[in-house]
Amino acid sequence: MRGGSTRASAEVAAASDEQHERGRRTGEILRQTRVGRGETLGDVERDTKINRIYIEALEAARFEALPAPVYARGFMRSYARHLGLDPEEAALAIPRDMPRPVGLEPSAGLRRTPPMSLPTIAITRPIALGLAAVAVVVLLAVLIVPRLTGRSSSATATATPTAGASAGAEAPNVVGLTREQAQQTLQRAGLTPLVFESANAAPAGQVFRQSPPVGFAVKQGDVVTLFVSQGPGTASGPAGTPSPTATPTPTATPSRTPTPTATPAR
């Protein structure tokens, strides 16, 4: 019995030595191929995304410095494939019973950063009702606000042309009209009439001149001066200067007419 146990131990030791020798040869082949290609450890690390510590461990057959066997074989395959070697043949150099190093996590992050996963939010009934309410408010805002804004814009657009027309109006022609007609015409146009009465060949009470003249640009509230005739031969001031008045002088015309009873008295 003791002889069988010794023989088995010897076989295990021989297999272990053979595996170790195989790993050493494979590591040497990796190093020689890399050097022959003119690549540094940094070049291999950049291209394969394998940490250079693991690359050095593969080349030196220091498999105890590698993570768990599944990751160690993956590194070996990637490195051999990068150098143009047979990846499966190279992976056989990794011992199957290789222990996992203490304190070394077999993290694939040493090769590539795994994609980040978004947190999952559970949608409960209150959350669903709140989202629905927000959607309704947004929908109403989209439908109602443009209509209100459109009405306000329409009202503004309607009022603006009116103001513009008043600002760019011209003085109307009131020459030849009676005083009352001329005043009404100016007031309807938003203008302020100012009346001066003076003697003129035109009939009494008729506008014979205006200032500003016809076609002159005016704006709402401007003053338009009306020169109203008192009839021919009537002076209202020194040197015939017209005098401003707000109402016609009712006694102006009778003062020019002789009294009918004057002749019998003489």
Side-chain angles (χ1 to χ4, degrees):
M1 179 69 80
R2 184 176 299 174
S5 176
T6 303
R7 202 166 37 249
S9 299
E11 291 175 357
V12 170
S16 177
D17 292 341
E18 181 181 356
Q19 183 69 40
H20 179 73
E21 180 62 21
R22 184 169 192 168
R24 188 190 65 77
R25 288 197 307 269
T26 301
E28 185 63 23
I29 292 172
L30 292 174
R31 189 188 67 78
Q32 291 177 358
T33 305
R34 173 179 61 78
V35 174
R37 289 163 57 99
E39 295 185 18
T40 64
L41 293 173
D43 296 333
V44 178
E45 181 181 29
R46 183 191 64 242
D47 295 339
T48 62
K49 304 298 186 294
I50 302 174
N51 192 297
R52 66 183 299 159
I53 295 176
Y54 295 158
I55 297 173
E56 292 176 343
L58 291 173
E59 290 184 353
R62 290 187 288 102
F63 302 123
E64 68 279 1
L66 296 171
V70 61
Y71 292 98
R73 293 189 184 93
F75 292 161
M76 179 66 84
R77 290 189 181 95
S78 297
Y79 189 15
R81 190 178 297 111
H82 171 74
L83 297 176
L85 303 174
D86 185 354
E88 298 303 326
E89 181 68 22
L92 294 176
I94 304 296
R96 292 187 175 277
D97 57 348
M98 183 183 70
R100 174 178 173 179
V102 179
L104 260 180
E105 296 296 331
S107 173
L110 295 171
R111 301 180 62 191
R112 284 199 180 96
T113 303
M116 296 179 61
S117 58
L118 297 175
T120 303
I121 300 176
I123 299 179
T124 60
R125 181 179 178 82
I127 294 177
L129 293 176
L131 293 176
V134 171
V136 170
V137 171
V138 172
L139 181 61
L140 291 176
V142 170
L143 295 177
I144 295 176
V145 172
R147 294 184 180 180
L148 297 177
T149 306
R151 290 179 183 176
S152 177
S153 301
S154 300
T156 304
T158 304
T160 302
T162 303
S166 299
E170 297 179 350
N173 185 11
V174 295
V175 175
L177 300 180
T178 64
R179 173 178 174 165
E180 290 76 12
Q181 292 173 340
Q183 288 178 324
Q184 292 175 2
T185 300
L186 293 177
Q187 289 171 353
R188 282 196 299 267
L191 303 172
T192 303
L194 177 63
V195 178
F196 281 85
E197 292 185 350
S198 64
N200 189 268
Q206 186 181 71
V207 178
F208 64 87
R209 186 158 61 93
Q210 69 178 70
S211 179
V214 179
F216 191 87
V218 293
K219 61 181 180 295
Q220 190 168 8
D222 281 359
V223 175
V224 177
T225 305
L226 303 178
F227 295 89
V228 180
S229 173
Q230 291 181 337
T234 301
S236 57
T241 303
S243 58
T245 179
T247 57
T249 306
T251 60
T253 302
S255 65
R256 297 197 306 271
T257 306
T259 306
T261 58
T263 302
R266 286 195 293 265

